[in-house]
Each structure stands twice: as structure tokens, then as C-alpha cells.
Amino acid sequence: MRPRPITGAALTGALLLGLTACGVGKPSPWITAPEVFYLRPLGDKSGPSDKEPFHLRAEDGRGAGGRRLTADVVGGSEDAVRLRGSGGCKGGATHVTCEVGAEYNNWADLARVSPVAAKGSKPGDTGVVRFTYTTKDGKRLTARTRFVVGEPVVEALVPKSLEHVGPGAEVTSPVVVRNTGEVPVVGLGLELSSGGLEFEKRYANCRYPEISHHHIAVCRFPDLRIAPGETVVLRPALRLRAPETQMYTSFGRDVWALDMGPGQYGSYPKGGDHGDGPTLDAEVTKDTKGTFAKGGGHTYLALDTHADYEVSGADLHGAPGTKRSLRLTVRNNGPADSGSSTRLVFSPPFGLTLLKQPMEEYDDGVFKPYCESNDFTYTCDVGELGPGKSRTFEFTVRLGDPGQGTVSLLDKDPPSEFDFGRHDPDPSNDEATITVGP
């Protein structure tokens, strides 16, 4: 009898059986905790913004119960760090035990250990806590965190706004960072965002990720130390090229201590090639004038240009009861783009009946009117409209008696205090007439 050939499915099944029998693919248990974590001095609620909370995780396959987490203040560290247990954890200030599950995360689980600065501790004091995770099989895994009393608080100089910038002009902005915390900054992280501008020079010691279309620079200074109360300036200054057509844009900078990370909700793109320009270097400075912000922020630009918007009217002819298509068009004659700052306001002639109006899809296959209506007036967001572009709003109407209505443009409330509208040089074409006649 000839042997049966082994099919692909049978071979796959045999391989999986062999792997299962050997234990391959079964995840190994693990525990992880930060190497370093900074603690606020006891009773002090200030500190850096958006700080990532202490994060302790452990995992031991699957299955309920039977795991244990213990935390111990290592001998000699009692004057710097103490423990607080919650969610059923037991113990005291130097030893806490918690019954936990197979997938433990102190951000999500009720059982948790919270290290805090010890009473009487001073900024700069350090202590070590050992965390032990005991698996269901009795295996003990450990992780250690060095806790530092006090925090580095990294702030960046953030000019609020720059006005009257010429289209295409070069913009120079200093990069200045200070530490207003209680302990030194040990390594600095910096992200520069050019926003709607372009980098004139790309620093040789910064990365420019392609995913951001080279509009972001990520820089690391692992050897930089900034003492409490000290300010450093990074030279050469940031050089950017303003856009030719945008009226409003911004650029930004974010800063963080490397061993703290960019914050709980902060992130920065990975990868990217280094720039081909000068090296960005830090030096101590005594110049601390200007507005500083924790973690950084954005500077807004108002370019010295304008956008000439024009709206068209219409003449509708026909006897009462006649259906007509009414097209209302807004055009940006340029030379700039003012963003989503304008609305079209349509006040129909008395007796005109709207049968159809512009619609938008807000869910799959579900539509609603695009324009807001109130007392027979229809208000429609024009949206982004670049120089030379236009947008048409089409209505289907039934004519009534002869009469007149209007269509006009209205500036929306500015999204920020630095937005000054279109600076329209010719407001006379911001309004037109809708005439109904025989």
C-alpha cells in the first residue's frame, strides 16, 4: 500500500502540534518598571505639565488569580521614598503585598502601589524600590526603580505671535530652554515643528522624519545637564521661510527631560535622516526675557497680506410656481489663503420656496443639511478656499412673486486672538443681489 501524501494543511497541523508540545510560542512571564522616576516633594502639587504617571506592568500568560506583587523599599532608602498601597493591597510604608492577575497594569487595576516622597526628604534625595511579581508557577520576577525627590521642570521660550511678516520672508526665532524644577535636567529632548513654514537650515544633529514631510525636527542632547534655575540657548537660532499665500500659520517647539519622556500624551515621530546644516549646540545664558511655557508651545504668525473674496448673485426669471436652480458662488481672488474664516449668508426673496439645499453625509448613507437655517436665512461655511479657487452652493427653488434677496459674506469668530480675518481690500464685492422677476 502506497503511503498517502502529506498535504499542506496536514503538514501545518503537524508543525503546530510539535511547537505546542515543545512549549514554543508560549509567552514568557515578565515585569517592567521605569529605571528612574521623579517624585514631587511631599505636599507640593506643582511640577511639569503632562507628566507620565508611574507605570508598572507584569504578565504571566492567562488564567485567573494566583499571582502576587510585592514592593519593598531597599534598605537605606527609607528617608527618600515610602509606599502607599490601595485596592486591597496590604502592608506598610516600606513593604506592600498585592494579589493581582495574569495581566497586571497599575494604570488600570485597582490593586496598586504608589511610591511617594518620604516625610522630611529633600530635593535630590534618592531611593530604590524593588518590585517582585510571583507567577502562578511560583517564579519570581523583579524590577527596580530609582526614585528621585524633586523634578526637573523644562520650559521653552515661546513668543506668542509675530505680526506683519512678509509673504516668503525669512523668520528667525531663538531656541531657549530653562529648568525651573528642583533637580537637574539629565539629557534634553527637543522637537521643532515648522508648521506651515519651511526649515531654512536643517541641523546636523537632528532627525527629520519623512512621515512629517520634513516639517518636524527631533533632537536629542543626552549629555546636556541643566541645573535648577539655569537657562540655556541652543545655537544657531531657528531659521524658517514663511509661506507665500497663507495668511495665518504657526511653528512650535516641545521640550522634555530625556529620562522623563515627552509626557503622558506626548509623542514624536521616529526615524528620519539627519540634516545637512550646522550642529545645534547649547550654552548657558543669563538672558531669560520673554514668555516661557512648560513643555513648550506654538508661535503664531500673521502674514502681511490679504484675501479678496467675491460672491456672485443671480437673476431668476419665471412665473410664480416655476422651479429654478440657484447657484451661489464664492471666489477667492487672492493673493492669499485666509483659512476657514468665512461664511456665506443667503437671505431669499420673500415668497421664494426652497425645495432642495446642499447636504452633507455625517454617517454612512445618512445626510443632513449643510447650511444652518434660521428665520428664512441660510448660513453656510465656505471652508478652505485657496487663491483662485471657488465654491458653489446649489439650491433648487420655487419662484414666488417678484422680489429681491441678498447673499453676503460674513467673517466667523476667529479661532485665536492672532487671527485678524481676511483683510479684504474690496468689501464691496462681499454682497450681491438675488432678483426674482418675470
Side-chain angles (χ1 to χ4, degrees):
M1 182 177 179
R2 297 178 61 185
R4 295 175 60 188
I6 299 177
T7 64
L11 180 58
T12 301
L15 287 173
L16 289 174
L17 180 62
L19 290 173
T20 305
C22 295
V24 177
K26 181 180 179 181
S28 299
W30 53 266
I31 183 173
T32 181
E35 292 184 10
V36 179
F37 191 83
Y38 293 90
L39 300 171
R40 291 305 309 150
L42 199 63
D44 188 339
K45 298 186 182 301
S46 61
S49 59
D50 189 27
K51 177 186 175 183
E52 181 167 317
F54 178 69
H55 200 185
L56 175 64
R57 295 182 296 157
E59 190 169 312
D60 176 29
R62 300 194 179 278
R67 284 82 169 175
R68 180 179 296 110
L69 176 71
T70 60
D72 294 279
V73 176
V74 173
S77 300
E78 298 87 349
D79 292 338
V81 59
R82 292 300 180 102
L83 304 175
R84 292 176 181 171
S86 59
C89 297
K90 299 177 181 180
T94 59
H95 174 80
V96 174
T97 301
C98 310
E99 299 301 322
V100 298
E103 297 181 12
Y104 177 73
N105 184 335
N106 74 319
W107 285 6
D109 289 38
L110 293 176
R112 63 186 63 175
V113 180
S114 301
V116 296
K119 185 177 181 180
S121 60
K122 304 179 187 63
D125 290 347
T126 63
V128 176
V129 176
R130 181 179 63 250
F131 300 95
T132 304
Y133 181 65
T134 304
T135 69
K136 197 169 186 177
D137 296 335
K139 185 175 181 179
R140 294 162 63 88
L141 308 174
T142 61
R144 291 172 177 251
T145 298
R146 180 170 65 90
F147 290 93
V148 181
V149 179
E151 293 170 312
V153 180
V154 191
E155 300 183 349
L157 177 66
V158 183
K160 283 189 176 181
S161 65
L162 298 175
E163 298 178 19
H164 306 299
V165 177
E170 182 178 289
V171 176
T172 302
S173 182
V175 182
V176 183
V177 179
R178 72 184 184 187
N179 177 14
T180 58
E182 303 87 4
V183 296
V185 172
V186 182
L188 177 70
L190 168 68
E191 179 184 282
L192 300 172
S193 169
S194 66
L197 296 84
E198 298 285 345
F199 289 115
E200 278 287 277
K201 294 291 185 181
R202 295 181 180 176
Y203 301 117
N205 53 340
C206 298
R207 295 183 294 101
Y208 294 81
E210 290 186 14
I211 193 172
S212 68
H213 302 288
H214 302 119
H215 279 258
I216 286 179
V218 180
C219 320
R220 298 176 80 254
F221 305 89
D223 299 325
L224 180 61
R225 301 293 185 268
I226 308 177
E230 192 172 64
T231 301
V232 299
V233 58
L234 300 170
R235 291 194 170 100
L238 180 62
R239 291 173 56 194
L240 302 163
R241 181 66 59 183
E244 294 282 351
T245 60
Q246 282 182 264
M247 289 187 67
Y248 304 102
T249 186
S250 66
F251 63 93
R253 76 287 288 151
D254 293 324
V255 289
W256 62 90
L258 281 181
D259 56 1
M260 291 182 69
Q264 183 175 9
Y265 304 107
S267 63
Y268 53 87
K270 310 299 182 183
D273 295 329
H274 286 80
D276 56 1
T279 299
L280 190 59
D281 295 314
E283 61 182 64
V284 177
T285 179
K286 293 184 178 180
D287 186 4
T288 59
K289 297 178 182 178
T291 302
F292 284 78
K294 291 182 181 180
H298 282 76
T299 298
Y300 295 88
L301 267 70
L303 273 70
D304 196 9
T305 185
H306 61 267
D308 175 21
Y309 274 41
E310 178 181 2
V311 65
S312 64
D315 291 331
L316 302 175
H317 298 279
T322 304
K323 288 185 182 180
R324 288 285 184 265
S325 176
L326 172 61
R327 295 168 60 86
L328 305 176
T329 299
V330 182
R331 176 180 170 80
N332 179 6
N333 295 321
D337 181 353
S338 63
S340 303
S341 63
T342 305
R343 289 174 175 165
L344 177 144
V345 180
F346 170 39
S347 299
F350 182 77
L352 193 77
T353 303
L354 256 68
L355 303 178
K356 290 183 181 180
Q357 59 177 300
M359 306 292 286
E360 65 175 337
E361 187 174 13
Y362 69 93
D363 201 352
D364 190 19
V366 183
F367 294 82
K368 67 176 182 179
Y370 178 77
C371 305
E372 299 176 2
S373 60
N374 182 29
D375 295 332
F376 304 105
T377 297
Y378 297 83
T379 304
C380 318
D381 276 335
V382 175
E384 295 279 349
L385 200 61
K389 303 293 185 181
S390 61
R391 180 169 184 180
T392 298
F393 299 90
E394 185 168 354
F395 299 82
T396 301
V397 299
R398 179 181 291 118
L399 303 184
D401 293 331
Q404 283 191 341
T406 61
V407 57
S408 59
L409 299 176
L410 176 69
D411 281 338
K412 297 162 56 175
D413 290 336
S416 76
E417 60 181 299
F418 311 109
D419 191 325
F420 305 106
R422 290 178 279 130
H423 284 177
D424 196 321
D426 184 12
S428 64
N429 60 9
D430 286 5
E431 184 171 326
T433 302
I434 310 296
T435 302
V436 174

